[in-house]
Amino acid sequence: MATHSQPLQQADPKRWKALALLCFANFLVMMDSAIVQIALPSIKETLGYSQESLQWVMSAFLLFFGGFLLLGGRLADLFGNRRIFNLGVIILIVSSLFAGLAWNETSLNAARGAQGLASAFIAPAALSLIMLLFSGNSKEMGKALAFWGLSGAAGGALGIVFGGVITELFSWRWTLLIYVPLGMIVLFLSPKFLQKTARKAAGRVDYLGAVLVTVSLMFIVYGIVMAEQNGWQSFNTLAAMAVGGILFLVFLLVQAKKTDPLVPLNIFKSPNLTIGNISVFLIAASWFPLIYILVLYLQQVLQLSPLGGAMALLPMPILMAIFMIAVAEKLMAKLGIKKTMIVGFIILGSGAILFSQTAAIDGNYWTNVLLASLLTALGNALAYLPATTASVSAVPSESSGLASGLYNTFYQIGSAIGLAVMVAIAGAATASSASADPVVALNAGFQQAFFWSGLVAFAGAILAFAFVRSPELAATPVKKSEESPTNQLL
């Protein structure tokens, strides 16, 4: 995330209106994944996606969001927060128009990638503007950050409802086109309520690093997708993953040699930061594909409508928010970071395994979905809060913005790679199913994806047990601004 300039000498009289506008923008960013997820089966039917390639509707967004998030924060620092915020909103408006009018897979995937780029500019600039607006009053800052966190949670929770309603009453296209008028409202109000921040004279932008990490991850995800179609030993699979790996190594070399790198590698010397970010990656790699597969199971197997599927998913983000506030913080204060993280990963994994057993052809929401939803929401909350605390608590204050941006990046990339792997596993299980009934075969694939999502969570528990240190950090709660990574609640 972006760091901050000097505090304002006088409190901005428009700061609360500015906060409302920035929180609304955060709501839109957080809603972008949730509102589209529920529309995925309808998108598949209209544009002719295969079951495996459908993931690119989400992966393109996640990869560009995660890959350019640190760049967005850096640009906001150097060129002014309001300028980069407005640029992000403009990109969001244009990309959403093209996404809503998409005529094939490629056009929608490209537009979704541009939406991810827009979010990568909006999110860090907006948070930096809030920090600047309220830097002179700690009490007001606490309230402002609480509203910021609430707006993100509301975007994740209400996005699935809006997506279900819009898809059922109108068309999936309006889940994307709706960002055009909403974005124009934000753009119109921005100069009225947001102060122009000063542009820094010093510093360079590591465009090369941002492009290298994003393209490398795209090749890796593409290789995983190709593995489902052509096998893990095929030339296309190995070549794509090799190119991705080489580009990622080049990215690390560039970061090591640059004066102003996108990611100063010495930050990973901080206690617990590395394992904290790996834990965030694994949480995302387990949770995000679980939600994706659950959306498909509810609509393609249980035959729920988009609105019915949205209502079935709604308890998960709501429960997760409640568990994070009412349970996770208290448990972490009592047990410490390490034990709380381990418990969270185990519960998350257990919920995913339960999904793999209860996801039946003739199932229903109350007996086959609700209990596993409760477990995974609780596990996610318990694992996520200590993982985030480990990622940011031990770094120097001057690096807190970078640390915050890093775990957001790890979350988005974990979501994209986890999704690619679980879809490949589901596709392979479906293809190898002995059943002649396509729905039975499809459900067999979903069950395998749930199962392996659980194993990823269990791997997180093992890593936390082996490597998490400094239990005294449990007494240092993470700031509210750092509790809400973009897209966390769905």
Side-chain angles (χ1 to χ4, degrees):
M1 290 290 180
T3 53
H4 319 300
S5 306
Q6 292 296 321
L8 297 175
Q9 295 299 316
Q10 286 186 325
D12 186 343
K14 297 181 180 178
R15 62 191 181 281
W16 293 108
K17 293 179 180 178
L19 174 66
L21 180 65
L22 294 168
C23 286
F24 181 64
N26 186 45
F27 174 88
L28 295 181
V29 168
M30 295 287 279
M31 188 173 70
D32 206 359
S33 285
I35 198 171
V36 175
Q37 271 188 317
I38 205 69
L40 287 172
S42 301
I43 294 172
K44 178 177 179 289
E45 292 179 11
T46 303
L47 297 184
Y49 279 87
S50 68
Q51 191 73 21
E52 291 71 38
S53 65
L54 185 62
Q55 66 178 290
W56 283 106
V57 178
M58 304 307 304
S59 293
F61 177 89
L62 294 168
L63 288 170
F64 275 76
F65 193 177
F68 288 102
L69 187 60
L70 291 172
L71 176 65
R74 181 66 172 158
L75 289 173
D77 278 346
L78 294 180
F79 300 109
N81 297 312
R82 194 182 80 172
R83 183 179 287 109
I84 298 304
F85 175 81
N86 289 340
L87 175 60
V89 175
I90 291 170
I91 296 172
L92 179 64
I93 292 170
V94 175
S95 60
S96 297
L97 177 63
F98 278 95
L101 300 176
W103 54 94
N104 58 23
E105 292 184 41
T106 303
S107 61
L108 181 56
N109 293 344
R112 287 289 289 162
Q115 282 187 314
L117 177 65
S119 295
F121 287 175
I122 293 170
L127 182 56
S128 286
L129 282 165
I130 290 175
M131 301 296 286
L132 188 61
L133 282 166
F134 296 94
S135 59
N137 187 317
S138 59
K139 187 175 180 181
E140 287 189 351
M141 175 73 80
K143 290 182 180 179
L145 293 178
F147 280 119
W148 171 263
L150 181 61
S151 69
L158 295 179
I160 59 174
V161 179
F162 292 159
V165 172
I166 292 171
T167 302
E168 191 153 321
L169 295 182
F170 303 103
S171 163
W172 64 265
R173 294 184 182 277
W174 281 101
T175 64
L176 298 160
L177 289 172
I178 194 173
Y179 282 92
V180 176
L182 295 178
M184 291 179 71
I185 292 172
V186 174
L187 198 62
F188 174 75
L189 294 176
S190 174
K192 295 179 179 294
F193 298 141
L194 303 182
Q195 281 196 359
K196 197 172 184 179
T197 51
R199 174 175 175 170
K200 290 185 180 180
R204 296 182 178 180
V205 181
D206 184 12
Y207 295 107
L208 177 60
V211 172
L212 278 173
V213 70
T214 304
V215 174
S216 69
L217 292 166
M218 289 182 70
F219 270 104
I220 291 170
V221 170
Y222 179 74
I224 296 170
V225 173
M226 293 302 295
E228 193 281 322
Q229 300 174 10
N230 303 325
W232 288 98
Q233 296 182 341
S234 71
F235 174 79
N236 287 341
T237 300
L238 295 176
M241 298 190 75
V243 170
I246 291 170
L247 288 176
F248 189 75
L249 289 175
V250 173
F251 164 74
L252 294 178
L253 290 174
V254 168
Q255 299 309 290
K257 293 185 178 181
K258 266 191 172 288
T259 306
D260 294 310
L262 191 67
V263 183
L265 298 182
N266 59 4
I267 194 174
F268 291 102
K269 295 178 181 178
S270 297
N272 277 345
L273 183 139
T274 300
I275 188 60
N277 278 291
I278 292 173
S279 297
V280 168
F281 178 97
L282 292 175
I283 291 168
S286 175
W287 171 259
F288 194 88
L290 186 150
I291 297 297
Y292 176 93
I293 296 296
L294 184 56
V295 167
L296 300 182
Y297 169 73
L298 290 170
Q299 295 187 54
Q300 294 181 341
V301 177
L302 297 189
Q303 297 297 308
L304 296 183
S305 67
L307 181 57
M311 293 299 103
L313 284 171
L314 183 58
M316 297 182 77
I318 294 176
L319 287 170
M320 202 176 81
I322 293 171
F323 288 145
M324 197 174 294
I325 295 169
V327 180
E329 230 175 318
K330 294 178 181 178
L331 192 64
M332 192 171 75
K334 184 176 182 179
L335 298 181
I337 285 178
K338 182 170 184 171
K339 291 180 181 178
T340 306
M341 198 187 302
I342 292 171
V343 170
F345 270 123
I346 290 174
I347 295 175
L348 175 59
S350 300
I353 298 295
L354 183 60
F355 265 127
S356 73
Q357 301 300 309
T358 60
I361 297 293
D362 56 351
N364 65 75
Y365 173 74
W366 299 106
T367 58
N368 297 74
V369 176
L370 182 59
L371 178 58
S373 297
L374 178 70
L375 283 175
T376 53
L378 175 61
N380 195 353
L382 293 181
Y384 171 70
L385 189 58
T388 304
T389 305
S391 300
V392 301
S393 293
V395 299
S397 59
E398 62 269 18
S399 300
S400 60
L402 173 61
S404 178
L406 271 177
Y407 81 74
N408 276 282
T409 299
F410 269 79
Y411 189 87
Q412 304 305 324
I413 300 307
S415 298
I417 292 179
L419 180 60
V421 171
M422 297 311 158
V423 169
I425 289 172
T430 297
S432 62
S433 174
S435 176
D437 186 337
V439 177
V440 173
L442 192 63
N443 193 62
F446 293 162
Q447 289 175 328
Q448 282 298 305
F450 285 133
F451 178 79
W452 284 93
S453 293
L455 292 190
V456 169
F458 289 145
I462 294 172
L463 287 175
F465 177 78
F467 296 109
V468 174
R469 296 291 181 264
S470 303
E472 67 274 5
L473 288 176
T476 309
V478 63
K479 295 178 182 177
K480 292 296 180 185
S481 63
E482 295 164 349
E483 279 182 14
S484 306
T486 311
N487 262 1
Q488 217 285 330
L489 286 180
L490 264 187

